[in-house]
Amino acid sequence: MTTTRDSGALAHLDALGQLSLFRGVDPCDIAPLLREARQRDLAPGDVLLEKDQFNPRVFILLEGRLSVHTQLDRDAIALLEAGDVVGDMSVVTGQPASAFVRSDTHCRLIDLPADALWAVFDESRPFARNLLRLYVRRIANLNLVVNSAQRLQQEYRVHATTDPLTGLYNRRWLNESLAFEISRAQLRKRPLTVMVADIDNFKQYNDQHGHVAGDQALKGVAAAVLVALRGSDMAVRYGGEELVVVLPGAELEEARKVAERLHRAVADQPIIGHDDTPLPPVTLSIGLANMVGGDSPEQLIARADQALYRAKHQGRNCTVE
């Protein structure tokens, strides 16, 4: 439960001068603040500031720990320790509080009107410097939080759009990106070719050598694909043993050269079993389709898939367009 005491209870607080905010400040400069202030005690779990509510006062934490939350049922985004100032940002901006502030432990605070804090700020250069340092530290901590959030967001995106077995893009990435690549190619009046490739007789390979061997084959093919492709090309594990490769700027002639490099790279790629024994190599059948005006991603992939079907019927381990 929150309790308050009058300013007289603050007059003998030796701890006040030990806080970084008041370090080097003449006690006479603090006296006006103490006359206006009240001591406030919070029990663990008490809410000091409510999000989206205007706050007319400033609090200085003397002891204990406060936590800052965007939602009370979520983890804290920041922790406040003795010497930290609370509520000043909403007072300065004239805006409601942007977060909840709650006590994690028993807390003792100075509760004072904003005018009293600024009066000390105007009278004491050491106090102004200390408050400025506090703001700089707060901004630095906020930058760390923002940078950490950005790194986590990037890591999430990588995980969300990458196939964990092969390291290639996954179908979600293709669904999000192929339409953009087609639109960009059409806008720039540049060609674009899509390749659909399939590991030949993969079911028999799994049946004969086991699914672990099949996974090794998939990883080997993915490694070969990344070696064979141009820097601008993007490879996707489309499903099972099927791959899709997006080749921006490539006419069919250039795409055929990429496909031939891919055939050679896959043939030369060693496949090693879980017990370090070599496994038989695999081959690919490849279908190519060049973008034409008005193509949707589904239409372009469907034409490449039809070409792949013809490659299978022509004996496999070949490229058809």
Side-chain angles (χ1 to χ4, degrees), residues 142-209:
L142 179 60
N143 285 338
L144 289 175
V145 171
V146 170
N147 290 337
S148 177
Q150 288 176 334
R151 284 195 299 271
L152 288 173
Q153 185 179 37
Q154 179 60 27
E155 289 174 9
Y156 169 76
R157 175 156 182 83
V158 168
H159 288 305
T161 58
T162 303
D163 174 60
L165 178 66
T166 63
L168 304 179
Y169 289 118
N170 61 18
R171 191 162 181 164
R172 173 178 177 173
W173 178 91
L174 186 69
N175 292 340
E176 293 175 351
S177 302
L178 183 54
F180 170 78
E181 293 296 334
I182 290 174
S183 297
R184 183 165 64 173
Q186 291 171 340
L187 181 66
R188 297 179 177 179
K189 295 180 169 51
R190 295 279 293 162
L192 181 143
T193 298
V194 163
M195 172 191 300
V196 177
D198 188 82
I199 300 177
D200 295 323
N201 300 311
F202 191 67
K203 183 180 184 303
Q204 292 91 320
Y205 195 94
N206 270 334
D207 291 343
Q208 184 174 353
H209 303 288

Side-chain angles (χ1 to χ4, degrees), residues 87-108:
D88 52 307
M89 297 303 293
S90 57
V91 167
V92 170
T93 61
Q95 299 295 319
S98 59
F100 295 94
V101 178
R102 182 172 64 189
S103 58
D104 281 358
T105 64
H106 173 81
C107 293
R108 191 157 56 99

Side-chain angles (χ1 to χ4, degrees), residues 269-302:
Q269 177 68 36
I271 301 173
I272 307 299
H274 69 282
D275 55 357
D276 293 331
T277 59
L279 294 166
V282 296
T283 60
L284 292 181
S285 295
I286 297 174
L288 300 177
N290 192 239
M291 180 190 70
V292 296
D295 260 343
S296 69
E298 294 77 15
Q299 290 169 327
L300 188 53
I301 290 175

